[in-house]
Amino acid sequence: MGMILRDDLMALDYLAARREVDAERIGVMGMSMGAQRAWWLMALDERLQTACHLLPHAPTESDGARIAQGHGIYYYVPNLLNHFDTEALWR
């Protein structure tokens, strides 16, 4: 997920630098894993003013079982839920 988000941040840098883009009015949206990416981007970059997320997957304490069932590892930040709950990250 870190590599994916780095690519997204680089795309945001490019977008914000474009002459025809109002850098004060940039938003992000995504569906499913894209929604997860939108959440993380909002948490990582203050230039984003709004986000729309459709059908996101919110990590919970029981997600260890989901990983074991084959759910993508890219959704998870190791040990994050030892320190925060999901809702605290997006406030």
Side-chain angles (χ1 to χ4, degrees):
M1 182 57 87
M3 293 171 64
I4 292 169
L5 289 169
R6 177 65 183 137
D7 289 345
D8 290 341
L9 290 168
M10 290 173 66
L12 179 58
D13 290 341
Y14 174 77
L15 181 66
R18 300 285 304 183
R19 200 172 354 157
E20 66 271 18
V21 172
D22 181 350
E24 300 294 317
R25 300 178 65 190
I26 298 176
V28 63
M29 72 166 292
M31 180 175 171
S32 190
M33 186 179 91
Q36 191 82 4
R37 290 166 66 177
W39 280 355
W40 280 113
L41 285 172
M42 286 291 293
L44 293 172
D45 199 304
E46 294 180 0
R47 293 177 293 178
L48 294 168
Q49 300 301 308
T50 190
C52 175
H53 46 87
L54 305 168
L55 304 170
H57 167 73
T60 65
E61 292 79 16
S62 64
D63 279 340
R66 290 183 197 202
I67 293 172
Q69 293 172 358
H71 203 72
I73 191 68
Y74 48 79
Y75 274 121
Y76 306 95
V77 176
N79 299 312
L80 181 70
L81 295 175
N82 292 333
H83 306 283
F84 303 98
D85 64 11
T86 304
E87 293 79 21
L89 296 173
W90 319 125
R91 288 187 196 135

